[in-house]
Amino acid sequence: MAWTREDMARRAAQELRNGYYVNLGIGIPTLVANFIPDGVDVTLQSENGMLGMGPFPYEGEADPDLINAGKQTITELNRTSYFSSADSFAMIRGGHIDLSILGAMQVSEKGDLANWMIPGKMVKGMGGAMDLVAGVKKVVVIMDHNARDGSAKFIKECTLPLTGVNVVDMIISDVGVFLITDDGATLIELAPNISISDVQERTEANFKIDKQLL
Amino acid sequence: MAWTREDMARRAAQELRNGYYVNLGIGIPTLVANFIPDGVDVTLQSENGMLGMGPFPYEGEADPDLINAGKQTITELNRTSYFSSADSFAMIRGGHIDLSILGAMQVSEKGDLANWMIPGKMVKGMGGAMDLVAGVKKVVVIMDHNARDGSAKFIKECTLPLTGVNVVDMIISDVGVFLITDDGATLIELAPNISISDVQERTEANFKIDKQLL
Amino acid sequence: MNKVYNDAVASLNGILFNGMTIMAGGFGLCGIPENLIVALRDSGTTNITAISNNAGVDDFGLGLLLQTRQIKKMVSSYVGENKEFERQYLAEELELEFNPQGTLAERIRAGGAGIPGFYTKTGVGTLVAEGKEHKEFDSEVHIMETGLKADVSLVKAWKADTEGNLIFRKTGRNFNPMMATAGKITVAEVEELVEKGELDPDQIHTPGIFIQRIIVSKGLEKRIEQLTTRQKNSEGN
Amino acid sequence: MNKVYNDAVASLNGILFNGMTIMAGGFGLCGIPENLIVALRDSGTTNITAISNNAGVDDFGLGLLLQTRQIKKMVSSYVGENKEFERQYLAEELELEFNPQGTLAERIRAGGAGIPGFYTKTGVGTLVAEGKEHKEFDSEVHIMETGLKADVSLVKAWKADTEGNLIFRKTGRNFNPMMATAGKITVAEVEELVEKGELDPDQIHTPGIFIQRIIVSKGLEKRIEQLTTRQKNSEGN
């Protein structure tokens, strides 16, 4: 039984450490905020200029001057600070954010990431994704293991235009978890009732298998 | 009769225009603040991180957190803002300051400036002088026309290490005023009882003479 | 030096020309100079190069200038919210230069700070790096990006004093402070204008030196793009 | 994550080593981390490269570390106030790298912002340009300067909350905010520590992400280098 979106978000939340400053991308990564383990205190960064992002406001209390990078209304916390976009990306580019969790269209076995553009389709822009993957200390991708047409998304070389080269440190997909280091990719966890051969069938990238799974 | 320090400062103050943002160097340039013409409103920048520098504090009211770039205690005005050194020099380097008035050891006929270092003597450092002359829109030098040993300070080529190349727009010395443009230097004013030949005798640089003086 | 103008139209008088480069602050519809954008549209200025993180929505923000075809080129990081934008772009009626958001922010800061070029890791190995100078620092490849300036910058702040000292509010700050430094002329639209001395000098985000003209917003809409809320007594977000 | 330490000695425990690079905030004696400098001296750490706009005076600020010969090299813009500095430098016991003040400030900002190099007009044609890469932008020659980082940055703020959010006071701000971003570890010495939520989030100068350790100053001297005053009822300054 493959993992659900919530399962993937819960698994990603295990990568959080006490005191981390974290940037969560739009979509499934946003759900990670719902699964922060007890006793782990993290501060969420929103790249439009905020550290210490709080939950959605109560009905009737939304403030048009207070949105996240997904343009959703949010709230502040008692640790919050605001700053300009230049200062925000100085923080990101300068390596001060501990962890970024984001979605992907394709990831290569060397950790290349493609998540912003499909040639021939209308391009909306890369937003802050290229800055985040270039600057943040650890980059975790959450994605469906295969595209809707069944094709592999974890592949030898990305075919879509890249967001960054050699930037992904971990993939959490619906079938399991991969670590990517300079030595290549390693499958380190499996979703329930998913076998190693299931994963191999659905993956184009080369990967090793952690000995605990054998 | 050559100009005094106060005369030179008074003459420099005539270069101020209403609405100007101005940086005044240490020494005689500081005196310019005492001669701002009526109806001319200027804002003084202090490169350690302040716009809107006020006068010295009353006795007993000095604040150790409030100093100018000469490390003297000062006061704030109702227009004052504070910022970091990086923001201060972004303002300077970015061409936002209208006028800088500073001292000189030597100026060349092309507007090269030397004012920070005498080889063989202890070097104190250039501080913000190189940034000011590179970034500020108009640079006015106030200096004694000759060194204590009588040697010329306005010369063909500077012999001392430079602060900036082709940066000085005007020299106000005790004998008169020179404009420096891409076409070279021009003597445009004389101090009382100083003749053109007096100036020529005391100057090594080539300069033209404004037709109003002839 | 009076910097305060009666309204947006007056504040743009004499500084607009066809083919000019404009910067407009805001992230999405948050912290955009609403009145100034409408006045720019009504001025009829054409062939504008607009530097702005986003392109507004169809009927609001910079989208208003797309409707009237006054924009020739956009320099942005994300334009996903605008159908008319998509139509013009696919019909090749509009030029578009995408910048990574942090690179865009830094290029604008650099333009205002007298930094004509800088190196960044962002975009190395991607389409963004094509044609750009590459250089290694500490054995890591970086690309050179250049500073950006504008003929006129239009920014939105919360409060100003009559000197042009500005304070922004929450995430309405975004691109506004850098753009204020990168315009040859910067016009600030503010919600509240106070007298000199009423703002704490330690708390001014943008010193008045960067602001040449000021107006107070009239009839601000402050539209919310994605209203997301939670019920009282509910958990999570 | 508790960031608050009991005193300066405790706050430097485990992060100092011989040969390290330190940044210390302040302009002259204004806004310097007095307690942290004393604790660094008392640690006995040697062969320090110190990045600081000035070198203190003989018996105060970084001058304390010159007296004890713990500093191997200074990276500064102006060191005119210190006789012991002059003696060590002329005796070639001390290395010295002068940077134009704005270049120094920008190099530190760049170091914290992931910018390994940038171009500036400052210093072109002077000793400062020697050996540096030259490049033309808009037919003007610029030189490349590099980003600076430190093993430990010591900064002084006015107020902090327990998250490490900092507010500076008047011209005590100076180099402190950039240095806070450029240290692998940054220790902040503050005059007042408040609980989370007591600082206005729009008014925080340095977000807590940049601050790993915090102490409250004890027995601050805040020495004035040049006391200049005027008489009441007098004119001018």
Side-chain angles (χ1 to χ4, degrees), chain D residues 90-111:
Chain D
L90 293 175
E92 297 185 10
E93 295 168 6
L94 182 70
E95 293 171 57
L96 176 57
E97 177 191 317
F98 275 130
N99 283 236
Q101 194 173 139
T103 295
L104 181 62
E106 188 68 14
R107 290 182 72 192
I108 297 165
R109 184 210 174 255

Side-chain angles (χ1 to χ4, degrees), chain B residues 144-197:
Chain B
D144 291 329
H145 199 75
N146 298 87
R148 283 188 201 162
D149 66 2
S151 62
K153 296 176 68 175
F154 184 30
I155 53 186
K156 290 191 169 62
E157 292 282 352
C158 294
T159 57
L160 294 172
L162 295 180
T163 306
V165 173
N166 196 4
V167 293
V168 177
D169 298 296
M170 177 178 273
I171 302 172
I172 298 169
S173 81
D174 48 316
V175 302
V177 181
F178 299 84
L179 268 186
I180 303 180
T181 69
D182 291 344
D183 295 331
T186 307
L187 176 68
I188 60 166
E189 281 176 49
L190 287 168
N193 300 318
I194 298 285
S195 69
I196 291 172
S197 62

Side-chain angles (χ1 to χ4, degrees), chain B residues 34 56-59 62-63 65 67 70-73 76 82 85 89 93 122 124-127 131 134, chain D residues 77-79 81 86 98 101-103 121-122 169-171 173-175 222 226-231 237:
Chain B
N34 299 333
F56 294 150
Y58 292 121
E59 278 177 27
D63 181 339
D65 287 332
I67 65 171
K71 301 177 180 90
Q72 299 170 313
T73 48
E76 68 187 28
Y82 299 104
S85 300
F89 283 94
R93 198 188 309 103
M122 176 61 196
K124 296 182 171 186
M126 70 289 280
D131 309 280
Chain D
S77 89
Y78 190 85
V79 295
E81 302 87 352
E86 185 168 343
F98 275 130
Q101 194 173 139
T103 295
K121 271 193 300 188
T122 301
R169 184 170 177 275
K170 304 190 189 286
T171 56
R173 195 183 314 184
N174 56 66
F175 281 80
K222 296 184 90 166
Q226 291 204 42
L227 180 65
T228 44
T229 58
R230 59 185 162 145
Q231 305 265 320
N237 64 356

Side-chain angles (χ1 to χ4, degrees), chain C residues 82-95:
Chain C
N82 194 309
K83 291 262 179 277
E84 173 63 13
F85 186 101
E86 184 166 346
R87 193 200 63 70
Q88 289 183 26
Y89 178 67
L90 293 174
E92 297 186 7
E93 296 167 6
L94 183 70
E95 294 170 57

Side-chain angles (χ1 to χ4, degrees), chain C residues 22-55:
Chain C
I22 294 266
M23 288 184 186
F27 181 91
L29 301 180
C30 178
I32 63 172
E34 293 184 23
N35 286 200
L36 292 171
I37 290 170
V38 169
L40 177 59
R41 179 195 62 186
D42 293 347
S43 74
T45 309
T46 58
N47 279 310
I48 294 169
T49 294
I51 301 172
S52 186
N53 189 55
N54 313 96

